[in-house]
Amino acid sequence: MQSRAAIERQFRRFRFGLFVVWAILLAIIVAWSVRSARERALSEVMQKAGETLSVQTEILSGVLDKYRLLPPLLSRQSSIRALFVRDAEGNAQALDARRIAESTASMSAAMDVAFFFPDGELLANARGSLVDRAEGLPELIEVALQGRLGRAAVANRQGERTYAFSSGVHREGKFVGVVIVYVDFYRVEAAWALSARRIFVTDKTGTVFLANDAAWRLKNIADLRETAESDRYLIDGRFERRLDLVRGLPLLEWDLHVLADPAPVAAARLSAASIATLVGLLAGMIALVVLRRNEEAIIKARTDRATALRLERVVRDRTRALSITNQSLSQEVEVRREAEERLRKTQNELVQTAKLAALGQMSTALSHEYNQPLAAIRSYSDNALRFLDKGALSEVSGNLARINGLVERMAELSRTLLSFSRKPGASVGPVPLGTIIDEALLLARPRARAAGITDIRVGDGVSGLFVLGGRIRLGQVFVNLVNNAIDALSGQADATVEIDARRQGDRVVVTVIDNGPGVDPAQLPKVFEPFFTTKGVGEGIGIGLSIVDNIIRDFGGTIMVDNRPEGGACFTINLRAAEADVAGRNDHTAPAAEAAI
Ligand code: ADP
C-alpha cells in the first residue's frame, strides 16, 4: 500500500508532465489561432481595400477621360481656330481668346484652359499665371503638331499638380496653335480625403503625384516606405507589400495605390491571442481542479483502505488474543467445574456425614425405641401362650393384635430411618412440608423423650403446604434444628419445641422455636459458620447449621436465627412455595426415588 506522501509525489510528477504538455499545446493553439485570425482579417482588409481601389480607379479614369476629349473638341471649333488669326499689326484675338478660355474652364471645371501659338507664345489662358505650368510645354506643342493628343503631368514648386492634354489647331491645313486643358485634381483628392485608407497615384518614376495625404505628395514611394509614415503599414515588423494594392492607368502610365489599413489585422491577432490564451488557461484550470479532485479521491480511497486494513489487522489480532483468552477461560471454567463438582461431592459427603452424626446422636434413643416394643411384644406373646393353654382365645387374639400394632410401629420407624440414612438426590421439586416434618419428628422424638422433652408441637398451618425442595435434605434440616433445640433444652423443666409455617405470597415461612436459653447475641452471626459450636468435645462438631444453611440456599431459600423476647431461639426458614403435586409422588417427594439418585 502506497503512503500518502508517495501518492502525492506521483501526482506532482504527473501534474508537472501535464503542465508541460499543456504549455506546448497552448503555444501551438495560440500560434495557430493568431495566424488564422491574421489571415482572415488580412483578407477582409484586402477585400475592402480592393473595392476602394476599383471605385477610385473608375472615378480617376472618368475624370481624365472627360478632360482628354476636351482639347480635340475645342481645337476643331471654328471660333477657336479664328482666334489664332493675327491682324495686320500682328495682334491676335487675345481678348476673345481669354473669354473663351475662361468660359470653357468654368464650364468644364478644368484648372485652366490655354491657347498657345506654335512657337510657344501664349495667346490667352483662363486662370492665373502660366509660368509654373510652362513645364513640358514644348513637348505638348510638339506632339500636337504631329496631330496626336499631347499629355503631360505638370507639377510646380508650390505643390500644384495638374495633368495637361494638348491638341493642335489647324487652319486651312496649317498648324496655327495649340489648345491645352489642365485637369484639376482638387475634387478627386478631396473625395479621397474622406477615405480612411491611404489612396495615391504614382507616376512611372515612382513619384507620388496625387495623394489624399498632403504630406505624401510629390515624394518618392520608395522613400515613403522607408519612413515612419509606413509604420502604420508594418506587419510583423516589416512593410507588408500585400497591403499596397495597385492598379495601372495605362493611358497616363500612372499607378493608383490603395493602402489597406492593417489595424484590424493587429486587433484580430490580439483578440485571437487573448481568447486562445484565456480558453487555454480556463481548460488548464479545469484540468487542474479535476486532477486535484481526482487526487484527493484517490488519496482518500487509499487512506480508507489503509485504515480498513489496519482495523482488520487489529480485529484479527484481538480476535486471536480473545480466542486464546477464551481457550484459557474455558480451561479455567473446566477446572472450576471440576472443583465445584469435587466441592459438591465433598459437601454431599459432608451432609451425609452430618446426617450420620445426627443418627449417631439419636441412636441410643432409637435403640431404646426398638427395645421398648420388643419387650412389650415378648410379654404380649408370653401372655398369648398362657391364654392359649387356658383356651382363652379372645385374649390371645387381643394380644396378637397388640403385637401386630407394635410391629407396624417398628416397621414405620425402620423405613423412615432407612430413607433418612440414604444419600440424597440433587433435584428440587414440590414436597409436602407437613409429611417431612412428621418424619423428622418420628426420628427426633425418641431422643427428645430421653432428654425429658415431651412437648414438641406442630402448628396447624403446616399441613397442606408444599415447598420447593428435596425430601431427604429438608427432613435433615428439621432433624438438625430439633436436635439442636433438644440440646439447648436438655434438663429444662417446661421445655417446648414448636414448629409452624405460613404462606406469604409465593413464599412459605417456617419457624422452629424453643423456650431454651437462646443463642448468645454476640454469637448470633456465627452460628451458621462451619465448625462453630458451643458444645463440648464429643457433643458437637459445629457443621449442623452450616449444612442446614447450604441446603436451604440450594432450594432458593434463606434461614435466619434470632432470640425470642420471651426467651429461646427462633429459626426462620423462607422457602419457595409450590403447588401440590397432583400427578402424585414424584422424584422429589419420593424418599426412595430421591435416595436412589
Ligand atoms: P453443634 O450442634 O454440633 O454445636 P450446630 O451447627 O448444629 O453445631 O450448632 C452450632 C451452635 O449453635 C451450637 O453449638 C449452639 O451453641 C448454637 N445453637 C444451635 N441451636 C440452638 C438453639 N436452639 N438454642 C441455643 N443455641 C443453639
Side-chain angles (χ1 to χ4, degrees):
M1 179 68 54
Q2 280 178 306
S3 71
R4 189 190 172 93
I7 298 168
E8 280 177 346
R9 209 166 34 247
Q10 215 173 30
F11 267 99
R12 250 198 313 278
R13 273 204 294 274
F14 184 61
R15 266 204 302 274
F16 179 72
L18 213 67
F19 174 75
V20 171
V21 171
W22 172 80
I24 293 169
L25 273 177
L26 183 66
I28 292 170
I29 289 168
V30 168
W32 175 80
S33 28
V34 164
R35 195 182 161 76
S36 59
R38 173 188 187 271
E39 289 307 316
R40 224 175 14 253
L42 199 59
S43 78
E44 204 171 306
V45 162
M46 301 286 283
Q47 189 196 341
K48 284 187 182 155
E51 285 164 9
T52 307
L53 182 66
S54 300
V55 170
Q56 295 310 326
T57 307
E58 282 310 307
I59 290 171
L60 191 59
S61 302
V63 168
L64 289 170
D65 277 348
K66 183 177 112 184
Y67 290 108
R68 184 168 64 93
L69 298 174
L70 201 53
L73 283 175
L74 288 173
S75 64
R76 280 181 183 78
Q77 280 186 16
S78 55
S79 56
I80 303 273
R81 279 190 223 155
L83 294 175
F84 293 93
V85 179
R86 291 179 193 266
D87 58 14
E89 288 89 43
N91 293 322
Q93 308 288 318
L95 275 176
D96 288 344
R98 186 175 175 82
R99 191 175 41 81
I100 290 173
E102 278 175 355
S103 68
T104 308
S106 69
M107 272 193 298
S108 65
M111 179 186 269
D112 205 353
V113 175
F115 303 113
F116 287 95
F117 286 110
D119 56 0
E121 186 194 340
L122 176 71
L123 170 60
N125 76 319
R127 292 171 189 143
S129 153
L130 260 180
V131 179
D132 293 323
R133 282 177 219 140
E135 195 184 318
L137 189 59
E139 259 174 71
L140 284 168
I141 295 172
E142 182 59 38
V143 174
L145 178 65
Q146 289 167 11
R148 291 187 288 134
L149 182 70
R151 61 190 72 194
V154 180
N156 62 18
R157 265 173 256 107
Q158 285 78 47
E160 193 180 74
R161 290 140 299 124
T162 181
Y163 200 90
F165 290 104
S166 66
S167 183
V169 182
H170 293 85
R171 190 180 161 85
E172 293 161 4
K174 211 174 132 211
F175 181 67
V176 291
V178 177
V179 178
I180 300 179
V181 174
Y182 294 90
V183 181
D184 188 357
F185 291 112
Y186 172 76
R187 284 173 197 283
V188 175
E189 281 186 328
W192 288 356
L194 298 175
S195 170
R197 293 181 193 85
R198 197 59 52 93
I199 305 170
F200 58 97
V201 167
T202 52
D203 62 15
K204 55 187 176 194
T205 65
T207 305
V208 175
F209 195 74
L210 299 175
N212 55 356
D213 183 344
W216 280 40
R217 289 168 195 158
L218 299 176
K219 304 246 170 70
N220 194 285
I221 182 74
D223 297 340
L224 283 171
R225 280 177 183 153
E226 301 300 316
T227 64
E229 260 308 301
S230 62
D231 277 359
R232 212 166 122 77
Y233 303 97
L234 294 180
I235 293 179
D236 300 334
R238 63 191 165 78
F239 183 82
E240 175 63 56
R241 283 209 176 274
R242 277 205 286 166
L243 291 175
D244 187 4
L245 274 78
V246 183
R247 181 146 321 157
L249 301 168
L251 185 72
L252 310 174
E253 294 181 315
W254 279 1
D255 284 329
L256 180 62
H257 298 252
V258 171
L259 284 184
D261 186 356
V265 177
R269 291 173 64 194
L270 189 68
S271 64
S274 324
I275 289 168
T277 311
L278 272 176
V279 168
L281 278 173
L282 200 69
M285 268 165 66
I286 289 169
L288 201 69
V289 168
V290 169
L291 202 68
R292 187 74 209 155
R293 288 232 174 126
N294 207 20
E295 178 185 341
E296 273 165 14
I298 288 176
I299 287 176
K300 188 174 168 340
R302 298 219 172 146
T303 317
D304 287 354
R305 177 98 187 96
T307 313
L309 280 178
R310 217 172 18 251
L311 270 176
E312 258 175 45
R313 212 167 29 243
V314 170
V315 168
R316 216 173 29 242
D317 292 350
R318 292 268 160 88
T319 310
R320 200 177 304 129
L322 269 178
S323 68
I324 290 169
T325 314
N326 200 24
Q327 229 168 8
S328 68
L329 264 179
S330 49
Q331 279 169 357
E332 211 171 297
V333 166
E334 183 59 23
V335 168
R336 269 173 186 244
R337 206 187 53 74
E338 282 171 8
E340 266 177 25
E341 186 62 32
R342 269 202 305 278
L343 182 70
R344 179 154 296 280
K345 229 165 135 188
T346 315
Q347 268 180 347
N348 285 346
E349 277 165 14
L350 202 61
V351 169
Q352 190 64 7
T353 310
K355 202 163 62 184
L356 292 178
L359 275 177
Q361 261 184 339
M362 298 184 294
S363 61
T364 320
L366 282 172
S367 64
H368 183 68
E369 194 73 3
Y370 277 103
N371 284 338
Q372 241 185 352
L374 276 177
I377 287 171
R378 169 171 283 179
S379 89
Y380 284 135
S381 63
D382 284 348
N383 287 342
L385 282 173
R386 268 196 300 274
F387 285 129
L388 198 62
D389 287 343
K390 289 179 192 169
L393 287 176
S394 62
E395 297 298 325
V396 172
S397 121
N399 277 348
L400 284 177
R402 276 180 213 110
I403 288 169
N404 205 22
L406 287 168
V407 168
E408 187 56 41
R409 226 180 83 199
M410 285 168 73
E412 194 193 346
L413 182 63
S414 155
R415 249 197 329 271
T416 309
L417 252 178
L418 199 65
S419 80
F420 183 72
S421 61
R422 277 186 181 147
K423 278 192 174 179
S427 59
V428 170
V431 287
L433 188 64
T435 313
I436 289 169
I437 290 173
D438 285 346
E439 282 170 0
L441 290 181
L442 190 69
L443 297 176
R445 264 204 177 95
R447 187 165 173 257
R449 263 198 308 275
I453 305 158
T454 49
D455 193 6
I456 299 179
R457 281 177 256 159
V458 179
D460 295 339
V462 170
S463 65
L465 284 179
F466 279 78
V467 293
L468 282 177
R471 189 171 185 140
I472 297 174
R473 282 170 291 166
L474 196 56
Q476 188 178 350
V477 166
F478 289 114
V479 168
N480 276 358
L481 292 178
V482 173
N483 269 341
N484 275 345
I486 293 167
D487 288 341
L489 291 165
S490 172
Q492 197 172 311
D494 56 343
T496 55
V497 178
E498 200 176 324
I499 302 174
D500 207 349
R502 63 185 188 280
R503 179 143 182 179
Q504 279 186 351
D506 59 345
R507 313 294 294 190
V508 169
V509 180
V510 189
T511 49
V512 180
I513 58 175
D514 61 60
N515 59 349
V519 185
D520 180 353
Q523 291 169 344
L524 273 174
K526 293 186 191 167
V527 292
F528 295 106
E529 285 177 11
F531 305 111
F532 173 78
T533 182
T534 55
K535 294 169 191 169
V537 180
E539 290 176 5
I541 51 171
I543 57 165
L545 287 183
S546 109
I547 284 169
V548 164
D549 184 45
N550 267 318
I551 289 171
I552 296 294
R553 266 194 271 143
D554 278 353
F555 296 164
T558 57
I559 180 165
M560 291 185 315
V561 63
D562 215 341
N563 286 321
R564 299 165 65 211
E566 58 270 41
C570 171
F571 287 86
T572 310
I573 304 168
N574 191 312
L575 286 167
R576 286 186 289 170
E579 298 310 319
D581 191 1
V582 286
R585 293 157 70 89
N586 62 19
D587 284 359
H588 320 292
T589 57
E594 190 181 359
I597 294 168

